[in-house]
Amino acid sequence: MSLIVFAPVVILLLGIFYGIYSVAHDIFDYIYNHSRQFIKRKMMLAPKHELILSKYSAYYNLLSETDKARFRKRVQSFMYSKTFVPRVFKAVTDEMKVLISASAVQLTFGLSPIYLAYFDRILIYPDSYYSRITRMYHVGEVNPRMGVIVLSWKAFVDGYADMRDSFNVGIHEMAHAIHFENRIRNEEYDFLNRRALYELEQITARELPKLKAGEPHFLRSYAGTNEYEFFAVSLEYFFEQPIGFTKAMPDLYLTLVRLLNQDPAKLYKNNTVQDGGENSQSN
């Protein structure tokens, strides 16, 4: 008798619980799907930013469509992982953020995703700036103690305006940054191929005395300053005169190919881009 009395109550309660469950499930499903779409949109480069890449990044335009999509994702991730700080002017533009991020991604594109995690701030000056430490004017520097990369926007733009002079502040400073990042113990530690680094050290030891002695050389004289500048200058030539590089210093070029896991000369040849192969005399 009691079961007959309570049966409708049990059925009612089960119905209420099922209704609550169904509504909760629908709400959760809605939130989950929209969250995934939001995250996916956040990982995609905005059309206006993609337009900046297409207009100003020669390296990006050499890539296949598949690689372009991968490059855009990395630029987006790099850009949102950094704080861009304006110096002596009011605001950092989207163009600055996109192209500076692209210069870093360009160097690391052949590797597993590397975003220079240690360097969380990028300081941008409109032109050359005075350093109280060195008491000199600079167009760029990497400060591992402060975790910052510093760039002159004018020098950065000038570097990409001429893709054959092998003088590129963006590539140069990002080269210093990845050199430091590789040795700093964090989640990105030790990402450069050790064998290739060893080979680079041997070649550097061989070439530095020649540069310091003022002997004729494929690389400009500033590469003879020390091993760090040798690496940074070499990467400027690697990306801006790759075909000439393969002829002038094939062992160094192939070592850099293994180190960065990419071959700009192939990109140039595949896109029928002619490399001037002329050695820059600027320092």
Side-chain angles (χ1 to χ4, degrees), residues 33-34 66 68 88 191 200 205:
N33 289 328
H34 279 70
T66 300
K68 281 181 178 178
V88 199
F191 57 87
L200 177 62

Side-chain angles (χ1 to χ4, degrees), residues 8 11 13 27 53 55 67 75 77 82 103 123 132 134 141 161 181 195 198 233 237 271:
I11 293 172
L13 290 174
I27 292 173
L53 273 182
K55 187 175 181 180
D67 283 342
V75 167
S77 296
K82 307 301 176 191
S103 70
L123 278 54
R132 294 180 181 178
T134 63
E141 64 184 289
E181 187 78 26
R195 178 64 186 176
Y198 174 77
V233 172
Y237 282 77
N271 289 273

Side-chain angles (χ1 to χ4, degrees), residues 113-159:
I114 298 294
Y115 299 114
L116 305 177
Y118 182 78
F119 299 96
D120 58 352
R121 290 187 300 150
I122 298 178
L123 278 54
I124 309 171
Y125 285 85
D127 206 334
S128 57
Y129 57 92
Y130 184 76
S131 170
R132 294 180 181 178
I133 298 174
T134 63
R135 297 183 180 180
M136 295 174 61
Y137 281 90
H138 295 267
V139 294
E141 64 184 289
V142 174
N143 188 327
R145 291 184 180 180
M146 301 295 292
V148 299
I149 298 170
V150 189
L151 294 166
S152 153
W153 178 242
K154 181 181 183 303
F156 182 91
V157 171
D158 289 345

Side-chain angles (χ1 to χ4, degrees), residues 202-241:
Q202 302 307 301
I203 296 172
T204 302
R206 182 192 74 200
E207 298 299 324
L208 277 182
K210 299 177 185 178
L211 286 157
K212 290 181 178 179
E215 295 180 19
H217 207 281
F218 178 69
L219 303 178
R220 66 178 184 270
S221 60
Y222 190 65
T225 305
N226 54 46
E227 61 182 299
Y228 306 107
E229 299 302 343
F230 183 87
F231 176 67
V233 172
S234 293
L235 287 194
E236 292 178 80
Y237 282 77
F238 182 74
F239 285 105
E240 295 206 350
Q241 289 192 40

Side-chain angles (χ1 to χ4, degrees), residues 5-67:
V5 173
F6 286 105
V9 176
V10 172
I11 293 172
L12 178 62
L13 290 174
L14 288 174
I16 293 173
F17 287 139
Y18 179 77
I20 294 173
Y21 168 80
S22 298
V23 172
H25 181 273
D26 290 343
I27 292 173
F28 175 81
D29 191 55
Y30 176 86
I31 293 173
Y32 175 74
N33 289 328
H34 279 70
S35 295
R36 288 188 64 187
Q37 292 174 15
F38 175 76
I39 293 170
K40 187 176 181 180
R41 287 196 300 270
K42 290 295 287 183
M43 291 303 294
M44 295 174 63
L45 201 64
K48 63 177 181 179
H49 293 158
E50 185 178 343
L51 183 62
I52 292 170
L53 273 182
S54 299
K55 187 175 181 180
Y56 296 112
S57 176
Y59 178 88
Y60 170 77
N61 287 317
L62 292 175
L63 300 174
S64 67
E65 291 305 314
T66 300
D67 283 342

